[in-house]
Amino acid sequence: MDEGRGMAAVSAVMIQGGFLFYGIVGNVKIAVFRNEELIPLGTGHTVDVLAQDKYVEGVLTREDALSMLQEKRIYNYLGRDGFKEIQFYDKPVRLQEGDVVSVFSNGMQESVTWKEMEDCLARKKNCKRMAFDLVELVNQKKGDKDNASVILIRVGEMT
């Protein structure tokens, strides 16, 4: 809650013609698991990412950007006054048979390491089972106190 108001992160993925199109609002991570590696797409809308981008653009000094790198607060989300539109990425990703398109909430990202996610996906179970296993990892670490969500779609398994 921000000043008594709700906020939500949102993502959208569309797979069409062998390509992945995607968009993000808030702190959601989209990735593709391919060749035993989880490849992140998009950056999310947290203050630390914004600081990095503004430093590269030359808007922030190095010192200002460094001071903001520990700030994980979301700056763009649904429910925010002055909400900026969803960030759609213009360049689609060409998918390969067997790729696993992955969408992770911030609760998942903050509770389970990237390596743990890769290890789980490398077991090559069906997507429903892998998603369940990832949520169970969060429950073991946090005692089911965090809102962790995951969506997994294996290319070639879609109906």
Side-chain angles (χ1 to χ4, degrees), residues 84-129:
K84 297 177 182 13
E85 63 191 42
I86 188 168
Q87 182 179 8
F88 285 104
Y89 293 86
D90 295 334
K91 188 172 183 179
V93 175
R94 178 175 288 284
L95 297 172
Q96 299 175 5
E97 187 79 18
D99 284 352
V100 179
V101 175
S102 311
V103 181
F104 303 110
S105 69
N106 67 326
M108 180 65 65
Q109 298 172 60
E110 293 169 1
S111 302
V112 180
T113 68
W114 206 249
K115 177 75 170 118
E116 288 171 318
M117 287 189 254
E118 286 178 330
D119 290 347
C120 183
L121 296 174
R123 294 185 195 122
K124 300 185 192 242
K125 297 178 181 177
N126 68 46
C127 289
K128 183 177 181 179
R129 182 72 229 177

Side-chain angles (χ1 to χ4, degrees), residues 61-79:
T61 66
R62 183 177 190 276
E63 294 76 24
D64 288 340
L66 286 172
S67 70
M68 297 173 74
L69 286 181
Q70 300 305 313
E71 182 66 56
K72 302 293 183 190
R73 184 173 42 89
I74 299 171
Y75 71 88
N76 188 36
Y77 52 87
L78 293 179

